[in-house]
Amino acid sequence: MHQLVLLRHGESVWNQENRFTGWTDVPLSDRGLEEAHAAGRLLRARGFHFDLAFSSVQKRAIKTLWSVLEELDCMYIPVQSTWRLNERHYGALQGLNKAQTAARYGEAQVQRWRRAYDEPPPALAAGDPRHEAGDPRYRGLGADVPRTECLRDTVARVLPCWRDAIAPALRGGQRVIVAAHGNSLRALIKLLDGVSDEAIAEVNLPTGQPLVYELDADLRPLRHHYLGDAAAIEASLRAVAAQGRVAA
Ligand SMILES: O=C(O)[C@@H](CO)OP(=O)(O)O
C-alpha cells in the first residue's frame, strides 16, 4: 500500500479578505500559519513521516509545507516545487472580492467561474500589470503563462506532475506529501478518484487539513480521510462553499 498526503495551504491574507487569488503570490495570514503548524503537529501525533515533498511555487503553499516539515523535524527531505501545482489561474478576477463580484455578476455566474469544469473566468488583458509573465519563476514558460484557466486546464498541467514525478516516487516506496491549493488539489483528486466533470464541482477543500490517501500497488485509491476534527472540517467546507455568496 502507498500513502499520499494532500494539504491545502493554511488561510492566506486574501482568503481572509475573501478575494480571488489564483496565481497572485499572497502570504499566509497569522491564522493560516497557525493552521499549517497545527497540521504538522497533527501529522506528527499520528506518526506520519515523509521521504519526499511537493509544493507549488507560491509562498502560501511553500510556507505551509515548511511549517509542517518543521513540526515533523524533517526539513531535510527533498522538496520539489513546481508551477504545475499552482492554484488555478483566476484571470481578471484575481484581486476582486468574491461577494462583491457575486453582487455584480450574480451568484450563479460566480459559482460557474469558481467550480464549472469548463468555464474559465474572464482572461487578463494584454498588458495587465497583474499578469505574471515577467516573474522570473515562470521564465521557462515563455508565452504560456496563463491569462486564465478553467479546471480542465489545471487538470491538464497537474497531470504531468502526477504521472512523471509523484506517481513514480510513490511506486518507488516513498512517502509523499503534496502542499498545494484548493483547485490544483481538486484537479489531482479528480485524476486520482476519476471524479466526473459534474461531480468535481461539489468538491471543496478546507485550508490546512491533511487529507490522507491510501493507494494500492497500481496507485488506485483504496480510501481517503481527513486527519483533523470532523466538525471543524465540515464548518470550513461550508465556509469555502459560501465564499461566492453576495452576503459572504
Ligand atoms: O481564490 C482562489 O484562488 C481560490 C482558492 O482560494 O478560490 P476558490 O475557492 O473560489 O476557487
Side-chain angles (χ1 to χ4, degrees):
M1 196 192 69
H2 301 285
Q3 169 203 288
L4 172 66
V5 172
L6 307 182
L7 180 63
R8 183 181 175 198
H9 60 82
E11 181 195 70
S12 74
V13 293
W14 278 16
N15 292 147
Q16 200 171 47
E17 295 168 11
N18 200 26
R19 293 163 79 176
F20 289 104
T21 315
W23 279 36
T24 315
D25 196 15
V26 299
L28 294 176
S29 67
D30 290 345
R31 178 180 159 175
L33 186 59
E34 178 44 37
E35 284 177 340
H37 279 280
R41 289 193 295 271
L42 183 59
L43 286 161
R44 187 182 62 204
R46 300 291 184 87
F48 280 79
H49 297 282
F50 299 103
D51 306 300
L52 179 63
F54 290 85
S55 80
S56 69
V57 292
Q58 296 180 283
K59 60 171 76 99
R60 57 195 187 274
I62 294 169
K63 194 75 174 278
T64 296
L65 181 61
W66 287 358
S67 309
V68 166
L69 297 185
E70 187 174 16
E71 292 290 350
L72 289 167
D73 197 19
C74 66
M75 296 184 83
Y76 56 87
I77 68 168
V79 175
Q80 293 186 25
S81 300
T82 167
W83 66 272
R84 292 185 178 279
L85 292 170
N86 273 17
E87 181 53 288
R88 179 166 64 87
H89 200 289
Y90 250 111
L93 300 185
Q94 289 188 176
L96 302 186
N97 178 278
K98 295 179 188 178
Q100 287 169 7
T101 306
R104 180 161 177 202
Y105 296 99
E107 290 183 355
Q109 176 61 73
V110 166
Q111 176 63 12
R112 289 200 299 281
W113 283 333
R114 295 184 73 206
R115 294 295 176 260
Y117 188 56
D118 274 317
E119 186 170 336
L124 282 174
D128 191 311
R130 292 174 293 172
H131 194 221
E132 297 81 6
D135 190 316
R137 85 191 88 176
Y138 304 122
R139 206 176 281 132
L141 276 176
D144 292 333
V145 177
R147 295 187 175 279
T148 187
E149 287 184 311
C150 61
L151 191 63
R152 182 189 290 281
D153 301 322
T154 310
V155 167
R157 49 110 159 149
V158 166
L159 176 61
C161 176
W162 164 254
R163 188 191 54 210
D164 303 336
I166 302 173
L170 290 167
R171 277 196 205 95
Q174 294 191 288
R175 296 161 299 181
V176 174
I177 181 167
V178 176
H181 304 262
N183 294 298
S184 54
L185 290 174
R186 291 175 64 240
L188 188 51
I189 287 168
K190 188 175 192 304
L191 291 168
L192 279 173
D193 286 328
V195 184
S196 72
D197 298 358
E198 294 73 32
I200 196 65
E202 304 305 321
V203 176
N204 284 300
L205 273 92
T207 51
Q209 295 283 355
L211 175 58
V212 181
Y213 269 79
E214 292 168 15
L215 310 165
D216 71 11
D218 295 319
L219 302 185
R220 278 189 298 255
L222 297 167
R223 59 196 143 260
H224 61 262
H225 63 281
Y226 282 104
L227 280 190
D229 175 68
I233 290 164
E234 192 49 43
S236 174
L237 289 174
R238 272 199 304 276
V240 172
Q243 282 171 354
R245 302 227 178 99
V246 172

Coordinates of all heavy atoms in Angstrom, one line a residue, residues 8-9 12 14-15 18-24 60 87-90 94 96 98 110 113-115 181-183 186 204-205 207 240-241 243-244, ligand 1:
R8 N -4.0 21.4 1.5 CA -4.2 22.7 1.0 C -3.5 23.7 2.0 O -3.5 23.4 3.3 CB -5.7 23.1 1.0 CG -6.0 24.4 0.4 CD -7.4 24.8 0.3 NE -7.6 26.2 -0.1 CZ -8.7 26.9 0.0 NH1 -9.8 26.3 0.6 NH2 -8.7 28.1 -0.4
H9 N -2.9 24.7 1.5 CA -2.2 25.7 2.4 C -3.1 26.2 3.5 O -4.4 26.2 3.3 CB -1.7 26.9 1.5 CG -2.7 27.6 0.8 ND1 -3.5 28.5 1.4 CD2 -3.2 27.5 -0.5 CE1 -4.4 29.0 0.5 NE2 -4.2 28.3 -0.6
S12 N -4.8 32.2 3.7 CA -3.9 33.3 3.2 C -4.6 34.6 3.5 O -5.8 34.7 3.9 CB -3.7 33.2 1.7 OG -4.9 33.6 1.0
W14 N -5.5 36.8 1.5 CA -6.7 37.0 0.6 C -7.8 36.1 0.8 O -9.0 36.4 0.5 CB -6.2 37.0 -0.9 CG -5.6 38.3 -1.3 CD1 -5.1 39.3 -0.5 CD2 -5.3 38.7 -2.7 NE1 -4.6 40.3 -1.3 CE2 -4.7 40.0 -2.6 CE3 -5.5 38.2 -3.9 CZ2 -4.4 40.7 -3.8 CZ3 -5.2 38.8 -5.1 CH2 -4.6 40.1 -5.0
N15 N -7.6 34.9 1.4 CA -8.7 34.1 1.8 C -9.4 34.8 2.9 O -10.7 34.9 2.9 CB -8.2 32.7 2.4 CG -7.6 31.8 1.4 OD1 -6.7 31.0 1.8 ND2 -8.1 31.8 0.2
N18 N -11.5 37.4 1.5 CA -12.4 36.8 0.5 C -12.2 37.4 -0.9 O -13.1 37.8 -1.6 CB -13.9 37.1 1.0 CG -14.8 36.1 0.3 OD1 -14.4 35.0 -0.1 ND2 -16.1 36.5 0.1
R19 N -10.9 37.4 -1.3 CA -10.6 37.8 -2.6 C -10.1 36.6 -3.5 O -9.4 35.7 -3.0 CB -9.4 38.9 -2.5 CG -9.9 40.1 -1.9 CD -8.7 41.0 -1.4 NE -8.1 41.7 -2.5 CZ -7.1 42.6 -2.4 NH1 -6.6 42.8 -1.2 NH2 -6.7 43.2 -3.4
F20 N -10.5 36.7 -4.8 CA -10.0 35.7 -5.7 C -8.4 35.8 -5.8 O -7.9 37.0 -5.9 CB -10.5 35.9 -7.1 CG -12.0 35.6 -7.3 CD1 -13.0 36.6 -7.3 CD2 -12.4 34.3 -7.4 CE1 -14.3 36.3 -7.4 CE2 -13.8 34.0 -7.5 CZ -14.7 35.0 -7.5
T21 N -7.7 34.7 -5.7 CA -6.3 34.8 -5.6 C -5.5 34.2 -6.8 O -4.7 34.9 -7.4 CB -5.9 34.0 -4.3 OG1 -6.7 34.4 -3.3 CG2 -4.4 34.3 -4.0
G22 N -5.8 33.0 -7.2 CA -5.2 32.4 -8.3 C -3.7 32.4 -8.2 O -3.1 31.9 -7.2
W23 N -3.0 32.9 -9.2 CA -1.5 32.9 -9.2 C -0.9 34.1 -8.4 O 0.3 34.2 -8.3 CB -1.0 33.0 -10.7 CG -1.0 31.6 -11.3 CD1 -1.9 30.6 -11.2 CD2 -0.1 31.1 -12.3 NE1 -1.6 29.5 -11.9 CE2 -0.5 29.8 -12.6 CE3 1.1 31.6 -12.9 CZ2 0.2 29.0 -13.5 CZ3 1.8 30.8 -13.8 CH2 1.4 29.5 -14.1
T24 N -1.7 35.0 -7.9 CA -1.2 36.1 -7.1 C -0.5 35.5 -5.8 O -1.1 34.6 -5.2 CB -2.3 37.0 -6.6 OG1 -3.2 37.3 -7.7 CG2 -1.7 38.3 -6.1
R60 N 2.3 30.7 -0.2 CA 1.3 30.2 0.8 C 1.4 28.7 1.0 O 1.3 28.2 2.1 CB -0.1 30.7 0.5 CG -0.7 30.3 -0.8 CD -1.9 31.2 -1.1 NE -2.7 30.9 -2.3 CZ -2.5 31.4 -3.5 NH1 -1.4 32.1 -3.7 NH2 -3.3 31.1 -4.5
E87 N -2.1 27.3 -7.8 CA -3.5 27.5 -7.8 C -4.0 27.7 -9.3 O -3.2 28.1 -10.1 CB -3.9 28.7 -6.9 CG -5.4 29.0 -6.8 CD -6.2 27.8 -6.4 OE1 -6.4 26.9 -7.2 OE2 -6.7 27.8 -5.3
R88 N -5.3 27.3 -9.5 CA -5.8 27.6 -10.9 C -5.8 29.1 -11.1 O -6.1 29.9 -10.2 CB -7.3 27.2 -10.9 CG -8.0 27.4 -12.2 CD -9.3 26.6 -12.3 NE -10.3 27.0 -11.2 CZ -11.1 28.0 -11.4 NH1 -11.2 28.7 -12.5 NH2 -12.0 28.3 -10.4
H89 N -5.4 29.5 -12.3 CA -5.3 31.0 -12.6 C -6.7 31.6 -12.6 O -7.6 31.0 -13.3 CB -4.6 31.2 -13.9 CG -4.0 32.6 -14.1 ND1 -4.8 33.7 -14.3 CD2 -2.8 33.1 -14.0 CE1 -4.1 34.8 -14.3 NE2 -2.8 34.4 -14.2
Y90 N -6.9 32.7 -11.9 CA -8.2 33.3 -11.9 C -8.4 34.4 -12.8 O -9.4 35.2 -12.7 CB -8.6 33.6 -10.4 CG -9.6 32.7 -9.8 CD1 -9.4 31.8 -8.8 CD2 -10.9 32.8 -10.3 CE1 -10.3 31.0 -8.3 CE2 -11.9 31.9 -9.8 CZ -11.6 31.0 -8.8 OH -12.6 30.2 -8.3
Q94 N -8.6 38.0 -10.4 CA -7.6 38.0 -9.3 C -7.6 39.4 -8.6 O -7.5 40.4 -9.3 CB -6.2 37.6 -9.9 CG -6.2 36.2 -10.3 CD -4.8 35.7 -10.7 OE1 -4.7 34.5 -11.0 NE2 -3.8 36.5 -10.8
L96 N -10.2 40.6 -6.9 CA -11.5 41.1 -6.6 C -12.1 40.3 -5.4 O -11.8 39.2 -5.2 CB -12.4 40.9 -7.9 CG -12.0 41.5 -9.2 CD1 -13.1 41.4 -10.2 CD2 -11.7 43.0 -9.0
K98 N -14.9 38.3 -3.6 CA -15.8 37.3 -4.2 C -17.3 37.7 -4.0 O -18.1 37.5 -4.9 CB -15.6 35.9 -3.6 CG -14.2 35.4 -4.0 CD -13.9 34.0 -3.4 CE -12.4 33.6 -3.6 NZ -12.0 32.3 -3.0
V110 N -20.8 33.5 -10.6 CA -19.6 33.4 -9.8 C -19.4 31.9 -9.5 O -18.3 31.4 -9.5 CB -19.7 34.2 -8.5 CG1 -18.6 33.8 -7.5 CG2 -19.5 35.7 -8.9
W113 N -17.8 30.4 -12.5 CA -16.4 30.7 -12.5 C -15.5 30.0 -11.5 O -14.4 29.6 -11.7 CB -16.2 32.2 -12.3 CG -16.6 33.1 -13.6 CD1 -16.5 32.7 -14.9 CD2 -17.0 34.4 -13.6 NE1 -16.9 33.7 -15.7 CE2 -17.2 34.8 -14.9 CE3 -17.3 35.4 -12.6 CZ2 -17.6 36.1 -15.3 CZ3 -17.7 36.6 -12.9 CH2 -17.9 37.0 -14.3
R114 N -16.1 29.7 -10.3 CA -15.4 29.1 -9.3 C -15.3 27.6 -9.5 O -14.3 26.9 -9.2 CB -16.0 29.3 -7.9 CG -16.0 30.7 -7.4 CD -16.6 30.8 -6.0 NE -15.7 30.3 -5.0 CZ -16.0 29.8 -3.8 NH1 -17.3 29.7 -3.5 NH2 -15.2 29.3 -3.0
R115 N -16.4 26.9 -10.0 CA -16.4 25.5 -9.9 C -16.8 24.8 -11.2 O -16.6 23.5 -11.3 CB -17.4 25.1 -8.8 CG -17.0 25.5 -7.4 CD -15.7 24.7 -7.0 NE -15.3 25.2 -5.7 CZ -14.3 26.0 -5.5 NH1 -13.7 26.6 -6.5 NH2 -13.9 26.4 -4.3
H181 N -3.0 23.8 -3.4 CA -4.1 24.8 -3.4 C -5.4 24.1 -3.6 O -5.5 23.0 -4.1 CB -3.8 25.8 -4.5 CG -2.5 26.5 -4.4 ND1 -2.3 27.7 -3.8 CD2 -1.2 26.0 -4.7 CE1 -1.0 28.0 -3.8 NE2 -0.3 27.0 -4.3
G182 N -6.5 24.9 -3.3 CA -7.8 24.3 -3.4 C -8.1 23.7 -4.8 O -8.5 22.6 -4.9
N183 N -7.8 24.5 -5.8 CA -8.2 24.0 -7.1 C -7.1 23.1 -7.8 O -7.5 22.1 -8.5 CB -8.5 25.1 -8.1 CG -9.8 25.8 -7.6 OD1 -10.8 25.2 -7.5 ND2 -9.6 27.1 -7.2
R186 N -8.0 19.9 -6.2 CA -9.2 19.3 -6.8 C -8.9 18.7 -8.1 O -9.4 17.6 -8.4 CB -10.3 20.4 -7.0 CG -10.8 21.0 -5.7 CD -11.8 22.2 -5.9 NE -13.0 21.8 -6.6 CZ -13.3 22.3 -7.8 NH1 -12.6 23.3 -8.4 NH2 -14.4 22.0 -8.4
N204 N -14.9 20.6 -2.4 CA -14.1 21.8 -1.9 C -13.1 21.2 -0.9 O -13.2 20.1 -0.4 CB -15.1 22.7 -1.1 CG -15.9 23.5 -2.1 OD1 -15.4 24.3 -2.9 ND2 -17.2 23.4 -2.0
L205 N -12.0 22.0 -0.6 CA -11.0 21.6 0.3 C -10.9 22.7 1.4 O -10.8 23.9 1.1 CB -9.7 21.4 -0.4 CG -9.5 20.1 -1.0 CD1 -9.9 20.0 -2.4 CD2 -8.0 19.6 -0.9
T207 N -8.8 24.7 4.4 CA -7.4 25.1 4.5 C -6.7 24.4 5.6 O -7.3 24.1 6.7 CB -7.2 26.6 4.8 OG1 -8.1 27.0 5.9 CG2 -7.6 27.5 3.5
V240 N -16.0 27.7 2.7 CA -15.4 27.8 1.4 C -16.5 27.8 0.4 O -16.5 28.7 -0.5 CB -14.5 26.6 1.1 CG1 -14.0 26.6 -0.3 CG2 -13.3 26.6 2.0
A241 N -17.5 26.9 0.5 CA -18.6 26.9 -0.5 C -19.4 28.2 -0.5 O -19.9 28.6 -1.6 CB -19.5 25.7 -0.2
Q243 N -18.2 31.3 0.0 CA -17.5 32.5 -0.3 C -18.0 33.3 -1.5 O -17.8 34.5 -1.6 CB -16.0 32.1 -0.6 CG -15.2 31.8 0.7 CD -13.9 31.2 0.5 OE1 -13.5 31.0 -0.7 NE2 -13.1 31.1 1.5
G244 N -18.7 32.6 -2.4 CA -19.2 33.3 -3.6 C -20.6 33.8 -3.4 O -21.2 34.2 -4.4
Ligands
LIG1 O1 -9.2 32.4 -4.9 C1 -8.7 31.4 -5.2 O2 -7.6 31.3 -5.8 C2 -9.4 30.1 -4.8 C3 -8.8 29.5 -3.6 O3 -8.7 30.4 -2.5 O4 -10.7 30.4 -4.6 P1 -12.0 29.5 -4.9 O5 -12.2 28.5 -3.8 O6 -13.1 30.5 -5.1 O7 -11.7 28.7 -6.2

